Amino acid sequence: VFGDTILVNGAPWPQMEVSNAMYRFRILNASNARAYELALDPPPPGGEPLVQVGSDGGLLKAPIPHDRILTSPGERFDVVVDFSRYRVGQGVTLRNLREKGRTSEVMRFVVARREKEDSSMPDLFVPELNFPDPDHAEVSRRFQFIAGVLGGMSTVNGRVFDPDRIDATPRLGSTEIWEISGDPAHPIHLHLVQFRVVSRDDGLPGPYDAGWKDTVFLEGGTVRVIARFDGYRGKYAFHCHNLEHEDMMMMANFKVI
């Protein structure tokens, strides 16, 4: 399920030479089931190690600094790293704080040269992201994801996947709130739509829930997301993005009518 080798762009534990400047990285967790709590070692002195500028669905409204970023299978993050805070010649390891030993190492950067900095970090990227208003939601639905119950199969609302069954029928152009719960740990992915995370366990969204999302990570508990079902009518899937879980039927269909 997890393996013992970390690949980045198909290479095991690669090393990348960088200048002492700002770099923007698009991070995709493409592992079967492993979550990564990514952090720089050592962290840059006097600054935030990872500045998030985008999520699954595009730019955030404004940058969000993190000392670490938790990403589950299928999630994407755009981050900026300012290597000018390190000295030329210094090595920096991107680590997974959830692992020990060799699999705690993801890749390594080496600050190899000086370079003039032509970039800057704006305070605001877009005026508004035009999220749907929860007060305008027409329907609320609940879905529970449980692994390994019916003869080893995994379920959504107690049922294994049936390609002919429809579990939700949102209207085209409608806004719905979906309440998603499950046993740890499930990255839940909806096809067709991007959504906003409204809450976790009846509180505020988590530190990595900002922006337009199409995948949200559950580690137990409950999240509420809101989506507008625009674009196209038809049948679409939603499922756990852990490969072994979706292969074992933790998937369902919705049909936009």
Side-chain angles (χ1 to χ4, degrees):
V1 174
F2 293 107
D4 58 7
T5 304
I6 306 299
L7 303 179
V8 179
N9 290 354
W13 296 293
Q15 178 172 295
M16 177 183 178
E17 290 189 353
V18 295
S19 303
N20 63 335
M22 288 194 291
Y23 282 70
R24 177 175 170 177
F25 299 101
R26 179 70 163 169
I27 297 171
L28 160 66
N29 182 348
S31 292
N32 283 22
R34 178 179 271 118
Y36 294 83
E37 194 170 350
L38 298 172
L40 295 175
D41 179 21
E48 295 291 347
L50 303 165
V51 179
Q52 184 185 357
V53 300
S55 58
D56 299 341
L59 284 173
L60 304 182
K61 181 178 179 180
I64 300 176
H66 300 286
D67 60 358
R68 62 191 66 190
I69 286 179
L70 175 61
T71 175
S72 65
E75 284 189 289
R76 286 90 72 205
F77 290 85
D78 273 72
V79 301
V80 171
V81 177
D82 186 357
F83 289 104
S84 71
R85 300 182 182 276
Y86 297 99
R87 70 181 185 276
V88 173
Q90 185 171 2
V92 184
T93 301
L94 183 65
R95 292 195 178 277
N96 181 8
L97 301 182
R98 295 201 161 196
E99 299 282 340
K100 295 181 178 179
R102 195 69 170 103
T103 54
S104 71
E105 301 173 23
V106 178
M107 67 175 294
R108 188 164 175 81
F109 301 100
V110 175
V111 185
R113 55 193 170 268
R114 298 187 184 279
E115 187 173 290
K116 181 181 177 181
E117 180 60 85
D118 295 320
S119 303
S120 62
M121 178 69 70
D123 295 326
L124 187 70
F125 298 128
V126 291
E128 290 296 335
L129 292 179
N130 297 319
F131 290 130
D133 187 340
D135 292 336
H136 296 162
E138 301 174 27
V139 175
S140 293
R141 306 182 192 271
R142 294 182 178 179
F143 298 99
Q144 185 180 45
F145 291 74
I146 301 295
V149 282
L150 298 177
M153 295 291 105
S154 297
T155 63
V156 180
N157 283 357
R159 297 190 287 185
V160 299
F161 179 59
D162 179 345
D164 297 320
R165 190 183 70 241
I166 304 299
D167 290 270
T169 53
R171 288 190 311 102
L172 183 68
S174 67
T175 297
E176 296 194 358
I177 290 177
W178 287 20
E179 184 176 291
I180 303 168
S181 61
D183 56 350
H186 305 297
I188 306 304
H189 173 60
L190 276 64
H191 288 214
L192 176 69
V193 296
Q194 301 282 332
F195 54 76
R196 171 195 171 198
V197 178
V198 177
S199 65
R200 282 186 178 269
D201 299 322
D202 296 322
L204 295 174
Y208 315 112
D209 291 333
W212 285 107
K213 301 283 291 173
D214 58 37
T215 306
V216 63
F217 192 30
L218 285 177
E219 291 193 285
T222 300
V223 297
R224 296 172 74 240
V225 305
I226 185 168
R228 184 182 297 113
F229 289 83
D230 281 336
Y232 303 94
R233 291 182 172 89
K235 184 169 73 172
Y236 302 89
F238 62 103
H239 58 91
C240 175
H241 223 295
N242 282 350
L243 184 62
E244 288 75 17
H245 288 175
E246 61 178 303
D247 280 354
M248 298 300 283
M249 303 301 187
M250 187 177 279
M251 184 181 298
N253 293 310
F254 67 91
K255 186 174 183 179
V256 180
I257 59 174

